Amino acid sequence: MIEMPEASTIARQMNETLTGKIFHHFSRGPLTHKFLWLNKPAEEFDAFVAGRQVTGAKSYGRSIFLYIDETHLNLFAELGGRILYHAQGATLPAKYHLRWDFTDDTSLTYSLQMWGFVGLLSKTDLSAPPFTDTGIPPLSDEFTFERFNQLLEEYPEKKAKGIKGFMVTSKYVFGIGNGYLQDILYRAKIHPARKIPSLSLEERSQLFSSIQGSMAEAIRLNGREDERDLFDYPGGYRRLMSSQTMGNPCPTCGTTIQKLAYLGGACYLCPTCQV
């Protein structure tokens, strides 16, 4: 799944590459998927965007905003898969789910993995639910330690679920999924099943610093090595705790990295360092 570092990378590349281009056509591709959601029929997408200009792009948490004229945007949210740019004369992939063509004979394609939402919205739509129900992205001015600690206390299941449940709930911290969570908790030396009331103020501070540091490093490296940017290049961030490192020695203490099934997904951790 695309998380904050990948969204940040792709949005920056969209802004640099697509700004000023004129939409020619939007269409569905040869592939269909029941977990790909559009908020309008493809024909309405096409009728609206044709002849309009890309005016920029930015990211917010795990979401990507591709701006259309000064009033609307394409929202890419909660996405798995690849958004790819194709230069003039390039061969498009044989299989994809969505396609945007521009008047200069360049294109974007989106190939879904797992699930994803693509919406055609007005800017005013973003000021109403469900788009106002997201949490605070790390590295934003709002994401201070004081606010983070307040969010921990506000989490209604803080006594029932471990810290993993809080971290991957977009209503609180928006931008982190299961991919980066493993390294964040490892660097903070916190087990994913730890209940929030058991975390000391020092541990909460370590977790906050780990979130900020991990996200900044991953953005600098253009995301994870198993995800792709707009030009189909892999990111440079190599995870310490993942399915690829399971069974290897912990970089800190040498204990074998283990896999734990918890809250509907896999966790990778060092059972010695993370308590």
Side-chain angles (χ1 to χ4, degrees):
M1 294 293 289
I2 291 175
E3 299 184 30
M4 179 178 165
E6 291 78 38
S8 175
T9 298
I10 293 170
R12 172 177 52 80
Q13 293 171 332
M14 282 183 169
N15 190 61
E16 295 168 351
T17 306
L18 303 181
T19 299
K21 289 182 181 289
I22 306 296
F23 288 100
H24 173 61
H25 183 53
F26 169 83
S27 60
R28 286 186 176 270
L31 296 180
T32 59
H33 200 297
K34 65 179 181 179
F35 295 125
L36 172 59
W37 297 284
L38 302 180
N39 70 331
K40 299 180 185 296
E43 295 77 12
E44 287 189 30
F45 263 80
D46 180 44
F48 183 85
V49 302
R52 295 180 184 263
Q53 186 176 52
V54 177
T55 55
K58 73 174 186 178
S59 64
Y60 185 84
R62 289 186 285 190
S63 297
I64 299 168
F65 302 156
L66 180 64
Y67 290 105
I68 304 168
D69 288 345
E70 299 298 330
T71 58
H72 287 73
L73 56 97
N74 258 170
L75 169 64
F76 301 85
E78 299 297 325
L79 289 173
R82 294 179 181 176
I83 305 170
L84 298 178
Y85 173 72
H86 308 282
Q88 187 177 22
T91 301
L92 270 62
K95 298 179 180 180
Y96 57 87
H97 293 89
L98 301 176
R99 174 175 169 176
W100 295 256
D101 293 316
F102 301 98
T103 56
D104 63 354
D105 294 326
T106 61
S107 301
L108 281 182
T109 59
Y110 172 52
S111 302
L112 176 70
Q113 295 172 0
M114 298 180 71
W115 62 81
F117 172 81
V118 178
L120 177 61
L121 308 172
S122 71
K123 286 185 178 181
T124 56
D125 289 333
L126 294 178
S127 60
F131 307 106
T132 55
D133 294 336
T134 58
I136 304 172
L139 307 183
S140 67
D141 292 340
E142 295 178 76
F143 195 68
T144 63
F145 175 66
E146 291 73 21
R147 183 66 177 123
F148 175 64
N149 200 39
Q150 181 182 357
L151 291 172
L152 287 171
E153 291 302 320
E154 291 174 356
Y155 182 50
E157 297 183 279
K158 63 184 178 181
K159 294 181 180 180
K161 293 184 178 180
I163 188 63
K164 174 187 173 178
F166 168 83
M167 290 291 296
V168 298
T169 301
S170 295
K171 185 178 178 181
Y172 300 97
V173 181
F174 185 47
I176 297 170
N178 206 46
Y180 287 102
L181 176 65
Q182 318 303 321
D183 282 12
I184 288 170
L185 293 179
Y186 170 69
R187 289 182 169 124
K189 301 187 183 302
I190 295 172
H191 193 282
R194 278 281 299 278
K195 303 297 188 293
I196 288 173
S198 75
L199 297 176
S200 67
L201 192 63
E202 181 180 0
E203 289 175 315
R204 295 179 185 210
S205 178
Q206 290 173 347
L207 178 57
F208 177 79
S209 297
S210 180
I211 292 169
Q212 299 287 70
S214 297
M215 291 295 97
E217 180 184 3
I219 289 173
R220 180 179 63 83
L221 295 171
N222 294 335
R224 307 194 300 275
E225 62 179 341
D226 52 351
E227 295 287 348
R228 298 277 174 161
D229 69 7
L230 192 67
F231 306 107
D232 205 22
Y233 291 112
Y237 182 89
R238 294 188 175 185
R239 287 180 287 171
L240 300 170
M241 298 286 139
S242 72
S243 59
Q244 301 302 311
T245 63
M246 183 181 66
N248 292 348
C250 165
T252 301
C253 71
T255 302
T256 299
I257 296 170
Q258 295 181 2
K259 176 181 178 180
L260 169 70
Y262 183 64
L263 292 183
C267 297
Y268 302 93
L269 70 155
C270 171
T272 300
C273 292
Q274 294 174 250
V275 296

